[in-house]
Amino acid sequence: MEQAVAECVGLLGAVTDRDWEGVRAGRLEWSCRRTAVHIAEDLIAYAGQLAGREQDGYAPFELSLDEGTDNAGAVRVIGAMGALLAAAVRTTPRDVRAFHPYPFRSANREGFAAMGVAEVLLHTHDIAEGLGVPYEPASELCDFALTRIFPHVRPGPTPWLTLLWATGRGELAGRAPVTGWRWSNNLVIDTERLTLQGVTPAAATDLSTVGDGGFEWIEGGPVEGTRVGSGLVYKQYEDGVHRPEWGMYVLVRREDDRALGAMGFHGVPDEAGRVEIGYDLVEGARGHGYATEALRALSSWALDRPEARTVVANVERDNVPSQNVLARAGFTQVAEDSEQHLAYELREPREG
């Protein structure tokens, strides 16, 4: 966050003697001056959401600059508001989520940081384009935003070019122009004892190697199945077929905010509405009903979607504990293959 704001302030601070009010900011309808103020507005709005733990809407306040504030003053305000958002991100606990409308009505501190970075990068670009000055932010800043709030966007030749294309500001060979877009914070599904937290491409990359994905795990986690599944999530992201709500979720215990396993879909539902689900738990979390609780919640969420009609699970014949989890969650065994795998299904309730 600090780096993005510092680059913005450095670039805009060098052109404060120019006419910002009479120049349109790139492809926007706003002037460069209005766009600069908007950057500051976004930064303080996001800080307010986190600091106030807002749950039902935006905190009811607006930012206004004193009458007579010049361009240099506007740049100072951007710097100050960026510092406030950075402080809010640093001091907000990992499990806190606050209201943001797109697409699941909440975001955590990392999501707000990514949205703040994106707003700064994109609107600094707009102003720079309007004023005719060169601007290209650090690649790692663009990647930070893309892997957290653009999980549905296939990586391109460079993170900056990809971010510009994904927000309707540029072109990429072989891809249609973007005319409408929104970013996507991760989905979180609550149960009585758990939160199922959608895994972003950034977290998947970390989990697929030796990292913790930004979660605090109970002893022994994450297990190998989680790492393998995370690698598949990132591969789907690279291939441009990742749909985050149909990806992986880390199971986090509400009482202590510690991760104890993972559960997720192997992809989007097929043409028949069938979607496969898989899961694993750290050994120390087994035997407490966590997998059953999570499976009921995630399966119910899936079957509430119009594109899903059947949730499928495959389990080894000798894995009796997993079979018991499926049975308790309402699944029915429907087949057994030659490799000693049992197939289970949970179908959408039939009307009538």
Side-chain angles (χ1 to χ4, degrees):
M1 187 73 249
E2 290 97 330
Q3 182 181 354
V5 172
E7 291 183 3
C8 167
V9 167
L11 183 138
L12 298 185
V15 291
T16 55
D17 59 334
R18 305 275 290 275
D19 174 20
W20 290 12
E21 194 65 64
V23 177
R24 182 172 161 177
R27 305 183 187 190
L28 302 182
E29 297 296 330
W30 296 336
S31 69
C32 290
R33 168 73 177 201
R34 177 69 190 90
T35 305
V37 175
H38 177 74
I39 294 174
E41 290 173 337
D42 281 335
L43 294 172
I44 191 57
Y46 294 160
Q49 293 303 99
L50 282 177
R53 310 292 196 261
E54 297 291 333
Q55 297 300 308
D56 301 320
Y58 285 111
F61 70 92
E62 293 183 355
L63 173 72
S64 62
L65 275 60
D66 289 343
E67 186 176 351
T69 300
D70 60 9
N71 292 339
V75 173
R76 287 169 49 204
V77 174
I78 291 173
M81 300 305 99
L84 289 174
L85 177 54
V89 169
R90 284 196 303 270
T91 56
T92 298
R94 194 206 67 82
D95 62 313
V96 169
R97 297 185 73 85
F99 173 83
H100 188 276
Y102 307 132
F104 304 116
R105 299 186 64 79
S106 74
N108 62 10
R109 64 186 183 188
E110 191 172 60
F112 278 106
M115 289 187 289
V117 167
E119 290 283 2
V120 171
L121 302 189
L122 295 169
H123 290 315
T124 302
H125 161 79
D126 296 332
I127 297 170
E129 188 174 55
L131 297 176
V133 295
Y135 170 70
E136 182 171 343
S139 180
E140 61 267 23
L141 292 173
C142 308
D143 190 64
F144 178 84
L146 286 167
T147 56
R148 287 160 177 83
I149 56 173
F150 291 91
H152 50 293
V153 173
R154 176 165 56 92
T158 70
W160 179 226
L161 292 178
T162 304
L163 184 60
L164 290 177
W165 171 81
T167 57
R169 290 170 167 83
E171 297 180 357
L172 284 182
R175 302 195 195 185
V178 172
T179 56
W181 62 275
R182 285 178 177 171
W183 42 53
S184 180
N185 282 287
N186 63 326
L187 174 62
V188 170
I189 299 171
D190 291 324
T191 72
E192 181 180 356
R193 296 179 296 167
L194 304 170
T195 58
L196 283 60
Q197 302 187 14
V199 172
T200 65
T205 303
D206 193 45
L207 280 169
S208 67
T209 54
V210 296
D212 57 18
F215 299 90
E216 183 179 351
W217 291 80
I218 66 172
E219 185 176 355
V223 296
E224 182 62 20
T226 297
R227 298 206 184 280
V228 171
S230 296
L232 295 175
V233 167
Y234 192 77
K235 180 64 165 58
Q236 291 176 341
Y237 168 67
E238 285 187 314
D239 292 342
V241 297
H242 178 52
R243 297 299 175 264
E245 63 269 36
W246 295 105
M248 173 183 281
Y249 296 79
V250 168
L251 314 184
V252 179
R253 195 162 53 195
R254 295 163 69 95
E255 67 180 31
D256 58 6
D257 195 41
R258 301 189 71 186
L260 46 80
M263 182 174 291
F265 303 104
H266 293 190
V268 300
D270 63 18
E271 293 181 356
R274 294 170 61 85
V275 62
E276 185 172 353
I277 198 168
Y279 51 88
D280 61 19
L281 290 183
V282 179
E283 185 173 354
R286 297 170 187 170
H288 300 281
Y290 291 127
T292 301
E293 184 175 328
L295 185 57
R296 285 172 176 159
L298 195 54
S299 298
S300 176
W301 176 88
L303 293 176
D304 279 342
R305 318 260 55 87
E307 62 268 41
R309 299 181 61 188
T310 307
V311 180
V312 180
N314 292 292
V315 62
E316 295 84 357
R317 184 182 180 86
D318 59 357
N319 190 347
V320 175
S322 188
Q323 295 168 33
N324 291 336
V325 167
L326 289 163
R328 287 193 297 268
F331 283 69
T332 302
Q333 183 186 335
V334 295
E336 178 179 353
D337 65 22
S338 59
E339 296 181 358
Q340 301 295 302
H341 284 84
L342 306 180
Y344 285 76
E345 289 184 354
L346 180 67
R347 295 179 176 273
E348 63 178 344
R350 294 182 180 273
E351 295 184 1

